[in-house]
Amino acid sequence: MNFQQLRSFRQTVREGYNLTLVAETLHTSQPGVSRQLKELEEELGVELFVRAGRRFLGLTAPGEAVLPIVERLLQEADNLRRAGADFAAADAGVLTIAATHTQARFVLPAAVKDFRDTHPRVALHLQQGSPRQIAQQLLSGEVDLGIATEALAEYPGLLALPCYRWTHVVVVPAAHPLAQDRSAGRPLTLQRLAAFPLVTYEPGYTGRGHIDEAFAKAGLTADFTLQAMDADVIKTYVELGLGVGVIASMAFDEARDTGLVALDARHLFAANTTRVAIKRGSYLRRYVFDFIQTFAPTLTQEAVERALAAAPGDAVEA
């Protein structure tokens, strides 16, 4: 048994049993992948895959039992390499971060700049995706850190640590009736907001769940005329007069968004918590801990290690 066989097995599952894609990902040939899988089955003495001719359709019961063991073995092998690299070059390496657009565009830049100033030999790779895509990238080992508001805390295989809390704001052109309400001292209410078409995030992004919950709790039906993943897109369509925007507070910049005004909505929608997540059981190089603390100063290496040592079901306080 060797690691190439184990990698071929794991990647076959990840690629939906498409051996052509497996071969491309592992930079080998399809016959080579087939040989590795067959040799693994022969060594274990069981069939791992459900087959229809030469096609793989899924995992057998033994295959289902073997998969988590293979995942752990390959993760520990990767941990060994990282541990060796940590001692060989503690201040050099690659840090891959996956974040939502809101985090990458409005929150991460300051942390990235500060980290680069103190760790010039660490190459930063930044990827963007939905919260659930980020969670899957963490679980598969594609990225070191994930940063998002939604979903990350739902996966037992991840440790999701709270970083900071934030609220939404309502954005409108200066001449909009809601802006005039504020000038006249009239408070912003959900009932008043529901009278206008709304432009906000897609479900599953940037606190959208709390927006829906607020309207549902008040017995109101909101008219979401346009939904997007990107606050810049939302603001663009608000400026065009398509509706009233509801965005994350950190996505509004008074100096840049001169065509809009922001109305405080913290009394309308529940606060949100952004989290940084890592895969449980993975070896974290020292500069990973350093970046986490740069992004969230309360999350020291000691605090992160203490949270990793706790049981997965234990609460992690903000």
Side-chain angles (χ1 to χ4, degrees), residues 145-267:
L145 295 177
I147 300 173
T149 298
E150 315 282 353
L152 297 183
E154 299 173 13
Y155 292 80
L158 302 179
L159 172 65
L161 298 165
C163 298
Y164 67 94
R165 291 167 67 82
W166 56 270
T167 57
H168 289 98
V169 294
V170 169
V171 290
V172 293
H176 193 276
L178 290 180
Q180 296 174 3
D181 284 351
R182 184 178 68 172
S183 298
R186 291 188 289 269
L188 179 65
T189 65
L190 283 174
Q191 289 76 12
R192 180 68 166 145
L193 196 57
F196 299 93
L198 301 181
V199 184
T200 191
Y201 302 102
E202 290 185 357
Y205 284 83
T206 321
R208 170 61 188 273
H210 285 163
I211 297 173
D212 292 340
E213 289 168 7
F215 283 110
K217 187 176 180 179
L220 297 170
T221 300
D223 174 17
F224 295 109
T225 188
L226 190 146
Q227 303 172 76
M229 297 179 288
D230 183 336
D232 288 330
V233 171
I234 294 171
K235 289 185 288 186
T236 296
Y237 284 100
V238 170
E239 288 179 323
L240 291 173
L242 266 70
V244 171
V246 184
I247 63 172
S249 55
M250 61 273 199
F252 182 80
D253 185 336
E254 189 173 348
R256 292 184 178 181
D257 301 320
T258 55
L260 300 172
V261 295
L263 311 176
D264 189 0
R266 73 185 70 187
H267 60 295

Side-chain angles (χ1 to χ4, degrees), residues 87 109 156 159-160 252 291 308:
F87 285 99
L159 172 65
F252 182 80
F291 185 89
L308 281 169

